[in-house]
Every structure is written in structure tokens, then in C-alpha cells.
Amino acid sequence: MHGRPRKAPVPEDEAASAAKAEKLRALQSQVLSNHRHKIYTEEALELSTRLVEINPECYTAWNYRKLAFEHNLTRSDSNPNSVKSILEEELRVVEIALRQNFKSYSAWHHRKWVLSKRHSSIEKELWLLEKFQSADPRNFHAWSYRRFIAALMDRSDVDELEYTQNLIDKNISNYSAWHNRSVLLSNLMKKNVEGFTEKDEVLTKEYELVREALFTDEDDQSGWFYHLWLLDQTVKAKSPLLAVEGVNSSTVNVEYGSNLNQGLVWKPLSTYKSRAAQAWITQLSFPNADLHSLEAYPVEITVGHCQGIISSSGFHYSQSSHFVFTVRVQPVKKELKEGSGVEKISWTDENFYLCEPHFVESNLVAWFHQLCLKNEHEPVANAWQVKIIEEEMKHFCMLSDCKIGKLTLARLLTAYDALMSSGKLVHSQEILGLYIDLMKLDPPHYQYYKNEHSVVLLQQVMSSRESLLSRCFHYRDLTSSSRGYPMCLRLNKLSLSRIGSFAKLLWVQMLDLSHNELQSIEGLEALQLLIHLSLSENKLSSFTALEPLRQLKSLKSLDISYNEIGARSIDTTRYLCSSPLSNSIGNEWEQDRILVDGVSMTNYWEAFFVLKGLNLTQLDVVGNAIADENFTLFLVRVLPTLKWLDGVQLNLF
Amino acid sequence: MGELAVDNHVEYILSVRKRKDSFESLVMEHLTMSGAYWGLTCIDLLGKLDVVDSEEVTEWIMQCQHESGGFAGNIGHDPHVLYTLSAVQVLALLNKLNVLDIDKVSNYVVGLQNEDGSFSGDMWGEIDTRFSYVAICCLSLLHRLDKINVEKAVNYILSCKNVDGGFGCSPGGESHAGQIFCSLAALAITGSLHLVDKDLLGWWLCERQVKSGGLNGRPEKLPDVCYSWWVLSSLTMIDRVHWINKEKLVKFILNCQDKENGGISDRPDDAVDVFHTFFGIAGLALLEYPGLKAVDPAYAMPVDVLNRIFFGK
């Protein structure tokens, strides 16, 4: 019941209502009885007419009418006059029912059903729609019916586009019209219909239209999403770093040793079973390598020599790129393999020493910088794209004292930076300022702006060599036993609430993300070389939020102490990870159940699915609601390689 | 405002079940099965399911089953996928799924999938993403999801995705919070949420919160308690629920209570009904309101019931 005022029952009303109810009860039981006994006489049909007029949502009554309709059509012997009168009567009844309740799913469907039986008098339908749509321009049943009729009549998308234009001219606050416009326009551009082939011209016109709406009433949301869509259409022509699919031995050539693509299997690094990912992985094997020769094997990779790699937005990657590096094969140290003599990592500040720049250069960082695709012929942004975005920036500077103005400006500047130069974030300071303003201006959506702010902030840190250098540390000093430790990137204490893309940090083996406000670590799965990770003192609230770790097969030590795991009754990431609830874990877990027999799977399934494939030697979970004796017992069973739990050596158990 | 009037709400729901003769009840007689799901799930979330006679309810439900395997909204009505899910949900709630001939029920649902992956609501062919969700949710609860073409079902839902990130009833249909819940939950249950632009959709969804703290279902519409469920569960499934102000929403829902006679309405001071009472309570459960059972955002059922189905033995 919608929009009916609450009131105490009045006796007279009750009596009237009881009489009405009695009539309805009798009617309903008669119609259901006729339905059961397949009685389709005129009198019986008339009863159902009265019923759907009072109660248009009674679906069984409409089903009964459909049976009666078919029955009567068969009996009419295709006599055109009686067919016509049967059809007209049916449409008349629907019209009356819709006047009673024009949000009735059953009534609208009945009309479609009748019309799709035999084409007749469709012309009247548009006229009827006009009446309904002017009474309620947002009714989505009517809009859906309009698309159905337009298709049935073969009405052109251009005519329908004009209809949306008329509605918007009448009232800019008609989100339904804007929506339908986006559907029609997408179609027209996709089909290259005459007048819609020049994308820049089409978009420029649309920007003008939606700008008028946004500047007329900045609080009216009708144009907000349309503008964002146009922006997306504008920058889409140049592919940003997006998830791609189609990476395999025919789209990527890997020459190593004397092999070409031999036995290579490419796997997308993504949560669950997606075929698209930002990062893809394959493993090279050197079966005949002499482990002690220190021989360097060259590896050559060529990408983009043929089509087949497609981004999730439909962009074909086709710029040919080529890069070379060398691989040395070394035996794995025995103690590392077996995990004995593993030292405990301690993430406190006094254990970290800032790296000398030259050390960083000689390290993996430099390696990975060489490996970055150097696109000599990287496409420059088209002039029209830049022009459009500059024009929009100019306009929205004038609207920058309100919420949508600031937000749009921040998005335009982000798009502009992405278009203009590879990696140079000219406007990042200005963008960060806009998001800080928005957090103050619109507190209910604080976390949305905070997330956007975090992504830009982290990009800013990663984009310049200087800022990255100031965050590279040695673990312990370089003298004694610490030689075995990789360089540590410390992104701690940045108040990050999310991390976005890690594409520039693929070299990282030791990462400190502690003392942030992370609720999610999406994106971390790309760091395939990661061995040591601290997520201590964040806002992670469940093990399902750690799903990306399942992909990090080298991970040895993990610190998730002082988060909020187990403290919340609602898990907001349970459908972003693989589990039986999302039918994304097969039968294999039935066997696993036996493995942890005795420990309740119902309580710990999230932890089980994330941790069971990892070979952790150190884990810190203290300071989470979930951590107790039972959980310790569970961890020891699931992680047989574990040596250190919350700082305590485990073989003491 | 004030606190949640737990006892009054339970009382209200039970009284609606008994009051079958009013005009309002008669108009909705054809969807009593869904009414039972709303009412009983609500009572369970409030922790009072033991006041319900589960034998009596089970017996009535089984009288609504047809030869085809599908369930009707009430005795004497036709079978429909909507009421088939409601029947399965209520039986799951009461731990009575064992009374079902699982293959018979699932065959009915499987038979409603069309060539393009979409689902019809019944034999008369109305197609809607609501029915995709309903069918997928039902089959998953019965452990029979492998009987349909999941890939095609997912692709059909994706064909209803709009440029604002939301989903409509059918291809080209406008985004609507109820439809977004159905589409997202169907994708969640089939492990396909990676196909959704979570940031784009999350922004559209979080902008549904209006000044009063309530949520609307589409831009420039009035807030309504039922969207406390549709929008909130959608934001929860894509891990963006922190993008709205939860305290203000709790206040809005509590303000829609009829504290004297029980029940919750769409907006403050409107007439209450079971539908809004359920979605208000389920919304509060998602907001982690103290004293309520945890609720699952995709199956729209208490978490402990799902644990029994998916992890129990």
C-alpha cells in the first residue's frame, strides 16, 4: 500500500468496507470456480470483467480471460467481425483495469499478450500511451509498453528520440525520458545511422542539452547520470587500463630459451571465474637449466601483433609492443622451502631504514620500469576529445560551488589527465581538494568521496619517482641476517580507504599497508611477487574481504591484526568471493570438510576458503573479534605450514 | 521515533494472517504465499518464529501446489514462479524442505527458461528480470542450479543493464531499485558480480538517499521504506553500503512505525502493511540494528537458515 494515510477505523467506513468485501469475495470465488470448470459463457466472462476492474492485479482472473479468449477465437471460425469484436472487448477491459491501477503488471502484460496474438488497431495504442504518459511521465510500465509498440509498428529510433526531446523540453526533470534517450542514442550510434556517424558532433549536442538541465536546477538528479555517461563515451575511444580478455598464446608471443609459447597457459588474475582481468599470469619453465651455472636466459615478449585482446568496454588492443628481459635460474634455499628456521617479521618502525636511491635503482623497481610497455606510437588523444573536455571544464568551473558541479569538475579533470599524458597527473592536487570539499559539503556520502580521494592520492604517490623513493625501505639493516629480505614499500598511515589499481607496483615483494582505513583490498591480487604483507590496523571486517589473497601463491607472512574481522553481523563482501552461496565453489570443498573435521565450518567457512590454499609461515590475527582459542585451533589445522601465530612460535604447542 | 516496537510488530503480522475478510486482504488474496514469506521471515528476524504453527503453514502451502510442480499464490489460483519461490522460502524458514518433491518443483522452474536465457513468470510468457532472480534463487535453495543454462541466464540479465549502471525489467527498461536488487542478487547467486561496474552503480544507488534519510527507488522520486531493502541490499552485495548514512536511514524506518498498533508503512504516518513491515525490519537487520537476526542480502532470508542449507549437515 503506497501513499495511503494512516487513520483509526471509523464504524461507518467499516460497514461499507465489509459490504464491499463481501461482494469481492463472492466475485472472486465465482471466477475461480468458473476457471476450474472451464466455463467460458458470456455471463462467466462478464464476472471476470467485473473482477479485474475492481482488482486488476488478480493474475488468475487474467489467465482465465486468456483461456476464454482462445476458446472464443477458435469458435469464431475466423469470422472477421467476431474476431474483431473479441479483440476490441479484451482491449477495452484492459483499458478500464489500467485506469483503476496503471501500475498493474498483470493488466499491461495482458494487453501485450492480446496484441501479439493478432496485429490489430495498433494505431490507437500510441494515442492511449500519450494519455497515460502525460498523466504520469515516469510510469515504467508505460515506457516499456511504448518500446513494445514502437517495435511492433516499426517506428524509427529517430522519431522516438524526438519524442524524448519533446518530453525533456517540457520538463527537464524526467529521468525516464533521459534514460530512454540514452538507449536510443546508443543504438543509433552503434548502427551508424545517418546523422549519428560523427561521434564528436553527436556528443557535443548532447552535452549542450544536459548542461542546460544541470544549470537549470543543480539539485535535480535527472541529468547527472546522463552527463557521466557522455563523459564515459568521450574518453572511451582511448583505452584506459582496464580488465581485458583474450590473453593467450596467439595474442601474446613469449620466446624463451629455444621455446616459443611452448606449454604456456595464461590465467586471468581476478576474483572468481571471470575471463577478464587487469593482470594475467603465466609460468615459464626451464627444465634443462643448470641450477649452478648462473646462465642468463633471454625472454622476449611481443603483444598486440594481432587482434584478440579486448577490454571490458569493448576496446580492441592492437598496438604492437615488444620487450626483452633475462632470467636466471637458482635453486631454492632448503630452509626456505621447508620453512624451518623462519624468522619472525616485525613491522614496527624501528625495523625499517629508508633506501638509498641508487639501491632502489638497482633493484627490482628498475627492472619493472624497463618492462613497462613503451608505446612509441601511443595514440595521442583526439583533438575533439580534448576540446570537448576543456569546454566542459570551463562551464563546470562556473558551477563549482555546488555538489554536482564539484563532482563533475573532479571527474572532468581526472579524465583530462588520463587523456593528456601517460602517467603525469597535472591536476591531482586540485582533484584532491575538490573531494575534500565534497566530504564537507555532502556528509551522508562522505565515504564515496573518501574512496575517490584515496584512489587519486595513491596514484599521486605512485606517479612520481621521488614520492615512490621516499616510501622504499630496507627491513632491518643491510648487515646481518636481513640480507634475505626484499625491499619494503611502505604505504602506511595514508588514511587510504581503498587502493584502486596497483598496476605500477608489480615489483613489490614486501608491502606495508598498515594504519589505513581499508575496507577492501581489491586490486592486490596483481602483486604476484608479494611475500610479506601487513594490513594491520585497518577496517577489514571479514575474511571474504581478503579474497584477493587467494591469488598470491608466494605469500608467506600476513599481518591482519587489529581489524574488525568477526565484529559485524552483516558481511558486505560475501558475494564478492567464491563460496557455496554464490555457487562458485564446486564439489572440492566436500572433501575439505573432512579435513577440518571437529572444527565448525559454519562459523569459519570464510576464513577456510581464503586461507586453505596459502602456505603462510606467519600470521597475526590478534585484535579481531574472531580471534579466540577455537579459532586458533582452526588456524593450526588449516595452515600446516604456520610457524608463528600472533608472535608466538607454534612448535611449542 | 524511538525504538523498534518488536512485540507490536509480531502482534500486527499475526493479526493480518487472521483477518482474512477485510477488503484489503481480499484484494491481495492472490498473493498470500508471498504475504506468508514476508510475514514469517519478518517474525523470524524478530526472533519470534516459535509463535507460528509450522505444521499448519506447511499443510496450507502444500495445498497450493499444482500438478506441474509450481505453487500458486493461494488455493484455487494458478501456479507462478513468484509464489513457487515464496513457498520454498517459507518451507526453508520452517526447516520443512523435506516435504517437497525437489525434482518436481525444480522441473517446473527449469521449464520456464526461454531460449535467450530469460525466464517467464508462468505459462503465459511474461518476461522480467524479476523472474530470472526468482528462478535462480529458488533453484539454488534446492541445490538444482545446474539444471538451467546459467551462462545464458546471466547474459540475459546483463542485456538489461543500463548506462547508469542499473538494471531494468527487460532490455531498454529504466533502472529501478527493485529491479537492481533482483538482477544483482541473481548475479550474486551465480558468482557473476564481477560483471557489474560496482562504482558506477554504487553512485546511482547511494544517491537514492534523500534529506530525510529515507531511500527512493529512482531519481527524483519520494522515499519509501521498501527501498530500505532494495537499495540497501544492493549496496551491501557490491560492498558500497558505507556510501550512505546508515544512522539517518535507521531513523527514517523507525519513524514509519505505527508504534501503537504495530506495522510499518511506506512513509511516516501512512497506513501500514505486511510488505513494508517486512522490508523495514529486513532493512534494519541489514543495518545491524540491535536484537535482530542477521539477514542475507541476496536470498533475503535469515543467515542462519542459509547456513543450515549451504553449510549444515
Side-chain angles (χ1 to χ4, degrees):
Chain A
M1 251 169 276
H2 288 99
R4 224 167 43 101
R6 190 182 298 165
K7 54 180 184 195
V10 185
E12 300 90 77
D13 290 357
E14 290 218 314
S17 167
K20 237 168 80 182
E22 193 42 54
K23 209 174 118 195
L24 179 59
R25 164 182 300 284
L27 204 52
Q28 283 187 168
S29 63
Q30 276 172 305
V31 171
L32 290 182
S33 162
N34 288 337
H35 181 35
R36 194 163 53 246
H37 297 108
K38 300 187 171 62
I39 299 170
Y40 305 121
T41 58
E42 211 166 298
E43 299 75 40
L45 207 57
E46 175 54 28
L47 288 175
S48 74
T49 304
R50 277 167 52 203
L51 177 55
V52 295
E53 283 171 15
I54 302 173
N55 188 9
E57 276 291 70
C58 184
Y59 70 102
T60 309
W62 289 112
N63 291 349
Y64 164 76
R65 291 193 69 90
K66 290 187 184 76
L67 289 166
F69 177 90
E70 284 178 343
H71 175 84
N72 291 335
L73 269 193
T74 329
R75 280 189 24 186
S76 70
D77 290 331
S78 314
N79 173 341
N81 283 336
S82 46
V83 168
K84 191 162 174 263
S85 82
I86 291 170
L87 273 169
E88 277 174 3
E89 168 63 6
E90 211 53 34
L91 294 176
R92 188 190 67 86
V93 172
V94 177
E95 196 178 323
I96 295 169
L98 284 175
R99 282 183 205 287
Q100 165 73 15
N101 173 10
F102 76 141
K103 291 180 175 174
S104 165
Y105 285 96
S106 299
W108 282 109
H109 177 250
H110 194 73
R111 196 167 189 92
K112 278 188 189 173
W113 183 85
V114 172
L115 282 180
S116 54
K117 286 279 143 185
R118 270 165 213 241
H119 296 185
S120 69
S121 58
I122 299 176
E123 296 306 325
K124 197 194 158 200
E125 299 307 296
L126 273 188
W127 172 81
L128 189 71
L129 268 170
E130 298 281 349
K131 279 208 314 198
F132 278 125
Q133 289 195 290
S134 52
D136 178 1
R138 298 290 308 276
N139 183 307
F140 69 84
H141 300 279
W143 277 101
S144 152
Y145 191 66
R146 183 172 189 96
R147 280 185 294 272
F148 169 78
I149 291 298
L152 218 55
M153 291 175 66
D154 242 344
R155 223 172 112 85
S156 79
D157 283 353
V158 178
D159 288 347
E160 283 295 287
L161 193 71
E162 202 177 307
Y163 177 73
T164 66
Q165 176 89 56
N166 292 341
L167 288 188
I168 291 168
D169 289 346
K170 253 187 241 159
N171 177 10
I172 54 141
S173 182
N174 185 344
Y175 189 81
S176 307
W178 287 104
H179 159 76
N180 217 39
R181 190 168 181 85
S182 75
V183 174
L184 295 162
L185 211 57
S186 301
N187 257 340
L188 289 165
M189 289 198 287
K190 204 157 120 197
K191 289 187 199 149
N192 275 321
V193 173
E194 204 191 322
F196 299 87
T197 48
E198 299 305 318
K199 202 174 176 185
D200 51 333
E201 284 170 23
V202 177
L203 290 177
T204 306
K205 258 193 254 166
E206 294 304 308
Y207 272 115
E208 264 168 44
L209 184 67
V210 74
R211 217 188 295 128
E212 206 181 304
L214 292 172
F215 278 73
T216 305
D217 178 358
E218 63 211 27
D219 289 327
D220 189 297
Q221 296 187 353
S222 305
W224 292 10
F225 305 93
Y226 197 78
H227 191 276
L228 182 59
W229 173 60
L230 293 180
L231 180 57
D232 184 56
Q233 290 295 306
T234 311
V235 293
K236 208 172 165 184
K238 184 176 180 247
S239 160
L241 259 178
L242 280 174
V244 295
E245 48 185 283
V247 174
N248 54 47
S249 287
S250 57
T251 52
V252 181
N253 266 339
V254 183
E255 222 176 320
Y256 64 106
S258 52
N259 299 316
L260 177 66
N261 293 336
Q262 206 159 21
L264 291 190
V265 179
W266 286 92
K267 274 197 328 204
L269 281 180
S270 62
T271 43
Y272 26 49
K273 50 191 181 187
S274 173
R275 278 174 300 206
Q278 277 202 6
W280 286 72
I281 187 173
T282 190
Q283 295 192 332
L284 310 183
S285 76
F286 296 88
N288 303 319
D290 179 352
L291 290 183
H292 300 284
S293 72
L294 290 179
E295 190 184 338
Y297 299 90
V299 179
E300 286 189 55
I301 298 185
T302 316
V303 194
H305 50 89
C306 70
Q307 292 233 330
I309 299 179
I310 307 166
S311 81
S312 46
S313 62
F315 178 85
H316 284 263
Y317 185 85
S318 58
Q319 304 134 36
S320 186
S321 310
H322 181 79
F323 54 90
V324 184
F325 58 95
T326 55
V327 169
R328 282 193 182 81
V329 184
Q330 285 176 343
V332 179
K333 285 201 191 114
K334 197 166 177 229
E335 65 263 31
L336 274 179
K337 204 172 175 183
E338 289 173 359
S340 60
V342 174
E343 257 187 86
K344 186 175 74 175
I345 305 268
S346 167
W347 293 90
T348 46
D349 283 344
E350 63 266 23
N351 283 320
F352 290 97
Y353 298 84
L354 197 62
C355 284
E356 300 290 318
H358 66 87
F359 179 84
V360 178
E361 293 301 322
S362 67
N363 210 296
L364 273 172
V365 197
W367 270 94
F368 272 87
H369 276 282
Q370 283 172 24
L371 292 187
C372 276
L373 285 188
K374 289 199 190 67
N375 288 317
E376 284 94 34
H377 18 255
E378 184 162 3
V380 206
N382 289 319
W384 68 264
Q385 293 176 296
V386 179
K387 198 176 138 221
I388 282 184
I389 298 213
E390 279 176 344
E391 182 72 19
E392 287 302 295
M393 276 159 46
K394 218 162 56 198
H395 284 286
F396 278 90
C397 278
M398 293 186 281
L399 205 62
S400 66
D401 52 350
C402 73
K403 165 178 156 176
I404 193 63
K406 281 183 195 296
L407 183 56
T408 307
L409 194 55
R411 287 169 173 164
L412 286 165
L413 292 169
T414 308
Y416 189 79
D417 278 0
L419 274 183
M420 289 308 285
S421 52
S422 42
K424 285 255 159 47
L425 304 176
V426 186
H427 292 103
S428 56
Q429 212 51 43
E430 195 179 344
I431 300 169
L432 291 174
L434 285 166
Y435 282 122
I436 289 173
D437 288 354
L438 282 162
M439 286 183 232
K440 289 185 208 139
L441 195 64
D442 181 20
H445 300 115
Y446 178 91
Q447 288 290 344
Y448 173 72
Y449 306 120
K450 171 82 185 163
N451 278 178
E452 297 291 316
H453 183 271
S454 292
V455 171
V456 178
L457 184 68
L458 191 56
Q459 276 174 355
Q460 196 184 36
V461 169
M462 293 187 298
S463 66
S464 92
R465 191 171 156 274
E466 291 69 34
S467 69
L468 205 54
L469 276 177
S470 69
R471 302 197 157 266
C472 289
F473 291 79
H474 296 297
Y475 178 62
R476 306 248 169 99
D477 50 47
L478 263 180
T479 54
S480 59
S481 60
S482 62
R483 276 179 177 278
Y485 289 101
M487 193 170 62
C488 181
L489 180 68
R490 303 193 76 196
L491 299 173
N492 56 336
K493 298 176 186 162
L494 283 169
S495 124
L496 299 173
S497 63
R498 78 193 287 187
I499 47 191
S501 167
F502 263 136
K504 287 188 175 149
L505 299 178
L506 298 181
W507 51 272
V508 176
Q509 292 181 289
M510 188 169 190
L511 179 62
D512 183 0
L513 280 167
S514 67
H515 298 88
N516 281 299
E517 294 164 30
L518 295 176
Q519 299 189 5
S520 151
I521 55 167
E522 213 176 321
L524 208 63
E525 67 276 1
L527 305 189
Q528 282 293 299
L529 303 179
L530 204 58
I531 303 171
H532 310 287
L533 172 64
S534 174
L535 292 165
S536 179
E537 307 250 13
N538 275 287
K539 291 186 171 170
L540 297 164
S541 62
S542 69
F543 269 96
T544 54
L546 300 175
E547 162 91 6
L549 300 184
R550 281 164 53 114
Q551 310 274 357
L552 303 182
K553 300 299 180 197
S554 308
L555 197 64
K556 293 285 175 204
S557 68
L558 174 65
D559 187 348
I560 45 173
S561 59
Y562 301 100
N563 275 279
E564 296 165 10
I565 300 174
R568 311 280 304 273
S569 68
I570 300 297
D571 176 4
T572 57
T573 37
R574 68 182 343 199
Y575 286 102
L576 302 178
C577 81
S578 311
S579 87
L581 286 169
S582 57
N583 293 281
S584 49
I585 291 254
N587 296 327
E588 82 257 36
W589 89 284
E590 290 292 329
Q591 294 154 4
D592 293 331
R593 203 195 312 238
I594 301 159
L595 191 91
V596 285
D597 194 31
V599 183
S600 167
M601 272 302 295
T602 312
N603 294 338
Y604 298 139
W605 64 266
E606 298 96 337
F608 175 76
F609 288 127
V610 168
L611 295 176
K612 68 163 178 160
L614 298 178
N615 296 307
L616 293 183
T617 54
Q618 178 178 341
L619 178 64
D620 294 275
V621 291
V622 67
N624 286 289
I626 198 173
D628 62 8
E629 269 175 47
N630 269 336
F631 191 59
T632 301
L633 216 63
F634 164 80
L635 287 174
V636 173
R637 288 200 149 162
V638 174
L639 294 165
T641 49
L642 206 58
K643 299 290 167 199
W644 298 93
L645 181 59
D646 291 328
V648 179
Q649 202 158 7
L650 276 183
N651 43 21
L652 301 176
F653 280 94
Chain B
M1 237 291 282
E3 291 181 358
L4 186 65
V6 172
D7 293 334
N8 289 359
H9 295 321
V10 174
E11 204 53 33
Y12 165 72
I13 292 165
L14 293 175
S15 76
V16 170
R17 286 186 65 220
K18 283 179 208 137
R19 205 189 317 135
K20 288 176 182 160
D21 292 327
S22 74
F23 184 77
E24 284 73 23
S25 321
L26 281 167
V27 167
M28 293 191 280
E29 186 215 56
H30 63 277
L31 50 76
T32 305
M33 188 66 80
S34 293
Y37 157 69
W38 297 323
L40 295 176
T41 308
C42 190
I43 289 179
D44 194 20
L45 291 174
L46 291 165
K48 309 279 184 181
L49 196 60
D50 50 357
V51 302
V52 175
D53 181 348
S54 61
E55 295 301 328
E56 186 198 340
V57 177
T58 306
E59 201 178 302
W60 172 77
I61 289 177
M62 295 314 287
Q63 286 181 56
C64 296
Q65 190 175 24
H66 280 245
E67 208 27 64
S68 61
F71 286 80
N74 207 336
I75 298 169
H77 284 268
D78 287 351
H80 194 284
V81 75
L82 285 172
Y83 309 114
T84 305
L85 172 64
S86 292
V88 168
Q89 282 173 317
V90 174
L91 292 172
L93 203 65
L94 301 173
N95 200 11
K96 293 277 184 192
L97 281 175
N98 59 332
V99 303
L100 285 181
D101 179 342
I102 304 280
D103 282 318
K104 192 170 167 181
V105 180
S106 55
N107 283 340
Y108 171 75
V109 178
V110 170
L112 294 172
Q113 189 173 30
N114 301 305
E115 197 39 51
D116 63 357
S118 66
F119 280 83
S120 299
D122 61 14
M123 62 179 285
W124 297 107
E126 182 182 3
I127 291 172
D128 192 309
T129 41
R130 282 183 303 150
F131 306 147
S132 298
Y133 163 67
V134 165
I136 285 169
C137 184
C138 185
L139 291 173
S140 183
L141 288 171
L142 298 174
H143 300 293
R144 292 292 187 281
L145 199 60
D146 56 340
K147 288 171 81 171
I148 56 161
N149 188 328
V150 172
E151 195 184 343
K152 276 189 171 183
V154 166
N155 285 338
Y156 179 76
I157 293 169
L158 292 177
S159 74
C160 302
K161 188 159 72 173
N162 293 315
V163 301
D164 56 21
F167 294 82
C169 300
S170 52
E174 181 182 342
S175 300
H176 175 288
Q179 228 68 42
I180 292 172
F181 160 78
C182 289
S183 303
L184 279 188
L187 295 175
I189 293 172
T190 53
S192 312
L193 281 182
H194 57 277
L195 300 167
V196 172
D197 186 337
K198 299 197 282 292
D199 288 335
L200 178 63
L201 176 56
W203 182 55
W204 189 92
L205 286 167
C206 80
E207 285 294 346
R208 296 308 100 240
Q209 188 162 38
V210 301
K211 287 211 173 70
S212 65
L215 299 165
N216 62 19
R218 289 190 282 161
E220 301 305 316
K221 288 275 192 178
L222 291 174
D224 181 326
V225 159
C226 60
Y227 297 113
S228 306
W229 175 263
W230 310 121
V231 175
L232 202 59
S233 60
S234 298
L235 281 168
T236 306
M237 282 186 270
I238 58 170
D239 193 23
R240 299 291 185 272
V241 72
H242 50 289
W243 285 1
I244 60 165
N245 184 317
K246 296 193 198 178
E247 290 74 29
K248 285 183 87 173
L249 179 56
V250 169
K251 273 190 195 161
F252 176 79
I253 300 174
L254 292 176
N255 269 330
C256 294
Q257 297 180 93
D258 181 339
K259 294 197 71 174
E260 230 167 279
N261 306 305
I264 298 177
S265 52
D266 58 347
R267 282 182 281 282
D269 301 320
D270 276 357
V272 302
D273 60 61
V274 177
F275 177 83
H276 287 93
T277 306
F278 166 62
F279 287 114
I281 302 282
L284 288 173
L286 265 188
L287 292 161
E288 303 178 300
Y289 189 88
L292 296 177
K293 276 195 181 182
V295 66
D296 181 275
Y299 291 90
M301 294 178 71
V303 166
D304 61 345
V305 173
L306 295 173
N307 282 346
R308 191 166 65 212
I309 292 174
F310 290 100
F311 301 103
K313 196 149 245 182

